[in-house]
Amino acid sequence: MEPEDEGHGRSPISRRMAETNAPHADELQRQWARVRARLREECGAQTFRAWLRTLTLVRRDGDAVVLSVGTKFIRDRVSAQFADRLRALWAGEAPGVTTVHVVLGQSGDAVELQDEPEAAGPGPVEGPETENFILDTNLSSGHVMSTPTVSSGLAGESLRGLSAPLDHRFTFDNFITGTPNELAFAAARRVAESETVPFNPLFLYGGVGLGKTHLMHAIAWHIRERHPQRRVLYLSAEKFMYQFIRALRFKDTVAFKELFRSVDVLMIDDVQFISGKDSTQDEFFHTFNALVDQNRQVVISADKSPNDLDGMEDRLKSRLGWGLVADIHPTDYELRLGILQSKAEDLAVPIPPKVLEFLAHKITSNVRELEGALIRISAHAQLVGREITLESTAESLKDLLKANDKRVTIEEIQKRVAAHFNIRVAEMHSARRSRAVARPRQIAMYLSKQLTQRSLPDIGRKFGGRDHTTVMHAVKKVDELRAADRHFDEDVDMLRRMLES
Ligand code: ADP
Ligand code: MG
C-alpha cells in the first residue's frame, strides 16, 4: 500500500527547506555530481566505494550544503576524514558554500532535527543561538555535524558519543613546528605524554586556522592510543553549552554534572563562545574547578588570552590563566613553507618548489587557507591535465591572493615604514612637517593606497586626520621620486615586498 501522506508527514521545517531549494535543485544536483566525480578521482574507486558512495545530497541552505549518510559509523568517518575535501570541492563548484553538514538519515528529510522534537517546546534558555547548536557543534573547523543522541537528555549518553569526532590527520606527527607555534606544540606534547598533570589547565590561544584544534585532537589521539582506559572528552564550547542547556531543559543537570566530572581529560575548544552566556559560564566554572581539584587534566583553546576574553567573568578568566598559557603566533615565512612542503608530499600532483615559495610569500593569513590553496591548484592541474606553474597558480588563485593582499593594514604599514626610517610611529599622525618625518609619512600613505583597499579620505583619517588631497599629493610625490631616484625607488619597493610577504 502506498502511504498517502508521503511528504505531508514531514515536519514543517523540512518542508520549508525543500521548498526554498526547489528552483535550484537541478543546478545543485549537477554541482553535486561534479563534486562526487572529483572525490572519486581523488580518493580512488576503492575508498570512494567504502565511504563516500552512499552520500546523498539533501539541500543547500544558505552557505551550507547538507549531505546525508545512512549510518553513524560512516557519518563519523566521512566527517573526520573527508570534511575538508568536501568543503573545498563544494566551494570550488558552488561559490559561497563555506560549510558542509553531514547528517544521519536516508530520506533526505531534515533528519538532524528528528532527535529534537522538543525544539518547538520550551524556548531556548540562553538566547536564540541555541537553536543552531543541534547542527553546528564545531563551527570553527568546519567539521559541522549533527549529533543524534538519545532523546531523554543525557541518560545513556556515552562519553564517546558526546565527544566530537577526531580528525585522523590532526596528529602530532602531522604538525609542523616553527618559532610561532613551538611553545604550544611542546606544551601539548607534554600534556599528552605525561603520566601526571603537568599544568592545569593548558590554555592554547591564537587566531583562526593556526592549529589550535589540530593540537587538541593530537593530544586526544595520543592519550587514546597510549591509555585507552583514560576517559578523554573533547568538544567545542558550543556543544558544551548545548548539552548544558539541554540538561536544564530535561531537568537532568545531575547526569550532566556526573558525566562531565567523571572524565580524566576534558578538552574544550573555542571557549570564547561561552562569553556572555552567564549560566553556561557558571556551570563551566564549577565543572572546571571540580576536575582541577581531582587532578584531572583540562585543556582549553580560545582565540584570545584569558585576560582578553570579553564577556567572561573575572573569576573564570583568572582561573583559566592558572596553568600554562601558550599562544600560537601568526605563521612566519619559514613555517608556512615547511607546512606547504609537508602537505604537498601527500598530493597526487608534484608541485614545483618555486610555487610553494610563492604561496608561502603570498598567503599569509592562516594555515587553513594555505591548505585550501594547495588543494585548489592541484585539483585544477588534474582537471585540465597540465602541470603546475607559477602562472597557472597565480591564475587559479586570483581571488584568494587578492584577499590576502588586502589584509595588510594601514597600521602595519605605518609601523614598518616608521621602523625602516627609524622614526616613532606617532610621527605618522603628528603635524610635524620636517623632511625627516614628512617623507616617511608620505611613503606610508603611498603604500597604504597601493596595498590596501582603503579610500583616500580613509587613509587621510588614519594619518592624524589629514585631508584626502594630502594623501593624493603624497601618492603623486612618491611616484615622481620613484621615477627620478633609483635608490628611493628600490627602498620603496623593498618596503612593499616586506609588507606583502
Ligand atoms: P584553529 O583551530 O586554530 O582555527 P585548526 O587546528 O583547525 O585551526 O587548523 C586549520 C588547518 O590548518 C588544519 O587543517 C590543520 O591541520 C592545519 N594546520 C594548522 N597548523 C598546522 C601546522 N603547524 N602543521 C600542519 N598543519 C597545520
Ligand atoms: Mg579550531
Side-chain angles (χ1 to χ4, degrees):
M1 197 174 80
E2 275 299 295
E4 256 254 14
D5 64 348
E6 261 246 316
H8 302 279
R10 292 187 190 180
S11 72
I13 296 166
S14 62
R15 233 183 359 257
R16 197 184 65 228
M17 286 172 169
E19 277 159 18
T20 328
N21 288 296
H24 312 293
D26 276 353
E27 178 55 19
L28 200 61
Q29 282 297 347
R30 276 195 294 275
Q31 289 166 340
W32 174 222
R34 286 193 292 264
V35 169
R36 287 191 61 163
R38 286 230 228 156
L39 263 180
R40 187 186 290 120
E41 197 175 298
E42 280 180 19
C43 306
Q46 204 179 348
T47 308
F48 184 85
R49 247 198 326 274
W51 300 109
L52 301 162
R53 193 180 48 86
T54 57
L55 270 179
T56 317
L57 174 67
V58 180
R59 63 173 181 274
R60 168 137 181 210
D61 212 352
D63 56 9
V65 163
V66 183
L67 305 173
S68 77
V69 286
T71 70
K72 182 170 182 310
F73 182 63
I74 294 189
R75 187 209 57 193
D76 288 355
R77 184 66 177 252
V78 169
S79 299
Q81 196 171 339
F82 303 99
D84 277 346
R85 299 298 309 118
L86 276 167
R87 196 161 27 127
L89 289 173
W90 265 109
E93 273 312 324
V97 169
T98 57
T99 355
V100 174
H101 302 247
V102 182
V103 303
L104 256 188
Q106 294 105 17
S107 60
D109 267 355
V111 284
E112 68 275 28
L113 296 174
Q114 277 178 357
D115 65 315
E116 275 295 292
E118 314 75 17
V125 184
E126 274 184 303
E129 309 97 295
T130 49
E131 281 175 0
N132 293 332
F133 294 142
I134 302 160
L135 282 172
D136 300 346
T137 58
N138 195 350
L139 281 173
S140 63
S141 75
H143 298 170
V144 180
M145 37 198 325
S146 69
T147 310
T149 41
V150 212
S151 60
S152 58
L154 278 164
E157 177 102 70
S158 76
L159 209 58
R160 279 282 169 111
L162 192 61
S163 201
L166 300 175
D167 192 311
H168 79 288
R169 295 161 315 164
F170 290 3
T171 60
F172 285 126
D173 284 347
N174 289 340
F175 194 83
I176 311 297
T177 53
T179 325
N181 60 22
E182 64 192 359
L183 173 66
F185 176 78
R189 273 214 90 104
R190 173 69 82 75
V191 162
E193 283 166 2
S194 182
E195 296 297 325
T196 55
V197 174
F199 14 75
N200 225 354
L202 168 60
F203 189 99
L204 299 170
Y205 78 92
V208 265
L210 296 182
K212 301 182 294 294
T213 298
H214 187 135
L215 283 178
M216 291 185 108
H217 285 209
I219 296 174
W221 279 127
H222 193 94
I223 298 178
R224 278 189 183 173
E225 206 174 282
R226 304 289 152 96
H227 304 281
Q229 78 291 355
R230 278 170 83 182
R231 294 158 62 82
V232 180
L233 178 53
Y234 163 84
L235 75 175
S236 67
E238 287 164 294
K239 182 138 178 234
F240 177 85
M241 172 160 150
Y242 165 65
Q243 291 294 353
F244 175 57
I245 288 165
R246 223 176 122 96
L248 288 178
R249 204 187 276 165
F250 289 113
K251 306 204 175 7
D252 207 5
T253 51
V254 175
F256 177 90
K257 284 182 206 298
E258 267 172 18
L259 187 67
F260 273 90
R261 284 162 209 203
S262 71
V263 303
D264 296 306
V265 183
L266 175 66
M267 301 205 262
I268 305 274
D269 207 351
D270 288 320
V271 81
Q272 71 273 7
F273 278 112
I274 62 166
S275 291
K277 317 282 192 327
D278 293 344
S279 56
T280 304
Q281 268 188 53
D282 250 22
E283 184 54 36
F284 176 66
F285 183 71
H286 293 305
T287 308
F288 182 94
N289 284 336
L291 289 171
V292 171
D293 285 348
Q294 298 170 68
N295 210 21
R296 311 281 171 78
Q297 180 71 56
V298 179
V299 183
I300 308 284
S301 86
D303 63 349
K304 298 195 193 70
S305 77
N307 267 328
D308 293 334
L309 287 171
D310 298 327
M312 205 63 105
E313 291 172 36
D314 284 342
R315 58 174 187 168
L316 188 51
K317 282 191 200 173
S318 116
R319 199 71 213 245
L320 288 174
W322 271 17
L324 181 75
V325 176
D327 53 344
I328 309 186
H329 297 276
T331 55
D332 56 18
Y333 174 77
E334 283 75 28
L335 179 58
R336 289 197 293 275
L337 189 60
I339 292 172
L340 285 166
Q341 284 165 342
S342 125
K343 309 233 163 187
E345 282 172 14
D346 301 336
L347 295 172
V349 209
I351 303 192
K354 274 242 147 356
V355 169
L356 296 180
E357 285 162 24
F358 173 76
L359 293 176
H361 264 300
K362 284 294 195 177
I363 300 176
T364 53
S365 43
N366 66 50
V367 182
R368 196 170 296 143
E369 293 211 338
L370 274 182
E371 288 182 331
L374 266 188
I375 288 163
R376 237 159 86 184
I377 58 173
S378 74
H380 189 245
Q382 271 180 308
L383 272 178
V384 299
R386 236 178 285 138
E387 63 185 281
I388 297 170
T389 62
L390 270 181
E391 289 70 36
S392 72
T393 302
E395 178 58 29
S396 56
L397 298 179
K398 225 186 306 174
D399 44 332
L400 188 66
L401 294 173
K402 217 154 111 217
N404 270 277
D405 281 348
K406 251 189 275 176
R407 297 213 177 101
V408 186
T409 63
I410 293 180
E411 286 75 15
E412 281 166 61
I413 295 173
Q414 292 174 328
K415 239 168 58 198
R416 252 317 154 77
V417 175
H420 182 77
F421 290 99
N422 218 357
I423 62 173
R424 291 181 309 128
V425 181
E427 300 291 10
M428 292 289 163
H429 316 275
S430 79
R432 283 183 55 204
R433 287 160 177 241
S434 73
R435 170 77 63 87
V437 298
R439 190 70 85 222
R441 197 189 289 135
Q442 285 179 325
I443 294 176
M445 288 185 202
Y446 170 89
L447 288 170
S448 300
K449 182 74 195 108
Q450 302 275 312
L451 301 179
T452 74
Q453 306 287 311
R454 312 296 288 268
S455 66
L456 293 174
D458 254 9
I459 295 173
R461 267 192 291 282
K462 295 266 183 179
F463 285 82
R466 288 180 156 78
D467 196 71
H468 75 278
T469 52
T470 311
V471 183
M472 232 152 69
H473 175 72
V475 173
K476 208 167 125 226
K477 185 80 202 166
V478 173
D479 264 334
E480 282 168 14
L481 286 169
R482 288 189 73 166
D485 179 344
R486 195 165 56 87
H487 285 303
F488 182 89
D489 184 46
E490 279 169 3
D491 233 23
V492 174
D493 200 49
M494 191 192 69
L495 275 166
R496 180 186 61 75
R497 270 186 283 124
M498 263 163 38
L499 282 159
E500 276 182 342
S501 71

